[in-house]
Amino acid sequence: MKLRYLTGSIVLLAGGSLADPLPAPDLAPAAQDTAMPDSACAPDDLSVMTYNVAGLPWPLAKKGPGALRAIGERLARMRAGGCAPRVVVLQEAFSGNAKAIGKRAGYPYAVEGPYLRAGAVPPGMKRDWMLGETAGTPVDSGLAVLSDLPVLEVQRAAFPEGACAGYDCLAAKGVVLVTLQLPSGRAVMVATTHFNSRGASKAPVERTLDAYRRQADFLARFIAAHRAPGMPLVIAGDFNRGQRPVRTALLQAALARLAGKPLLDSLRVCLAEDPQPLERSADARTIARRARDLQFAIDGEEARLQPVGIDIPFGTEPDGSMLSDHIGYTVRYRYSAS
């Protein structure tokens, strides 16, 4: 494992990290503005936090190991107080300290994403060895799912050869899909993913866009092939979408094929119901403006998951700093029979 990290780090040093630089967060919110209150949750309701923890291996780490330890310790305190998300999905959990977040937080179930990319490069597609596109996957996906709910089934896959561009090809980015058991015995599915960056990949824009198109299509096909019939589903992760119309259209089209209708991300659903928190919370404004860290809920045939509230446990700290270069936020979903 250390050799894989070292090899990947040496190559990555030529071009930077696996994520695009993010716009600076807005002004730090007041402490009372980091949560959007909602009525008490029923036993079968679901809460999902998505967080790109910037857990890159040395020497690429953007934050020291103390930040990753602090993430796990804060989640542990939240669990002790009964206010932790039932499910946490992580991206860029590459390093040992990042992978230890679940154990440090005390989640009984931890599932890692894929480690290797498979398949062959499509005929006629050019690969640039200077950008690491022919070097395989010296680092894994960096994906993880942490859960207080029992994990019934796991499906995972890296994006296939050809569905990546530039330095992003050095990581086995892809998707991990888990089936979870709610307290009533009902089941829900949660997936997480991390899509190709644009500028940070150092590949030409048209090739990063082609990779994005292929990844969106693969995500939709993979989940459609492994989704239990009629089961409600949450897809959360770092989609590297941004305020880019073409990427937005590609992602919306892929998700619409899965859901059978156009989808809004869960943050915007909550804000549309109650826009006041967007005005109060600078971190909520930052999440919406960056438009990378997204969650989507897809109803089942006999049950639905309705986004009803947002919490932001990992945003701007009181001193103005952040534990990652992303914001970790939780969506609370109301489970109800259709």
Side-chain angles (χ1 to χ4, degrees), residues 161-297:
E161 289 288 353
C164 65
Y167 293 113
D168 279 49
C169 293
L170 293 165
K173 286 184 175 183
V175 58
V176 55
L177 173 67
V178 297
T179 304
L180 306 173
Q181 186 176 51
L182 295 167
S184 66
R186 300 185 180 99
V188 297
M189 303 185 84
V190 174
T192 189
T193 188
H194 191 180
F195 274 31
N196 211 101
S197 61
R198 182 171 135 163
S201 71
K202 304 302 181 184
V205 171
E206 62 272 15
R207 289 212 291 114
T208 64
L209 186 58
D210 180 65
Y212 200 89
R213 179 184 295 106
R214 292 172 184 270
Q215 290 179 356
D217 181 64
F218 179 85
L219 177 73
R221 287 187 289 105
F222 179 85
I223 291 178
H226 294 96
R227 182 185 177 194
M231 193 173 295
L233 165 72
V234 172
I235 308 173
D238 181 355
F239 289 87
N240 264 318
R241 194 195 73 189
Q243 301 293 348
R244 301 177 181 124
V246 178
R247 286 191 172 212
T248 299
L250 289 171
L251 183 59
Q252 286 179 337
L255 294 172
R257 291 198 299 273
L258 270 175
K261 62 180 180 179
L263 291 177
L264 283 177
D265 69 89
S266 297
L267 175 67
R268 291 189 179 276
V269 171
C270 291
L271 296 177
E273 295 293 327
D274 181 11
Q276 182 63 28
L278 182 61
E279 299 171 5
R280 292 201 315 266
S281 171
D283 280 340
R285 290 197 303 269
T286 297
I287 297 166
R289 177 169 55 92
R290 289 176 171 178
R292 267 107 160 156
D293 305 297
L294 305 170
Q295 296 198 34
F296 301 91

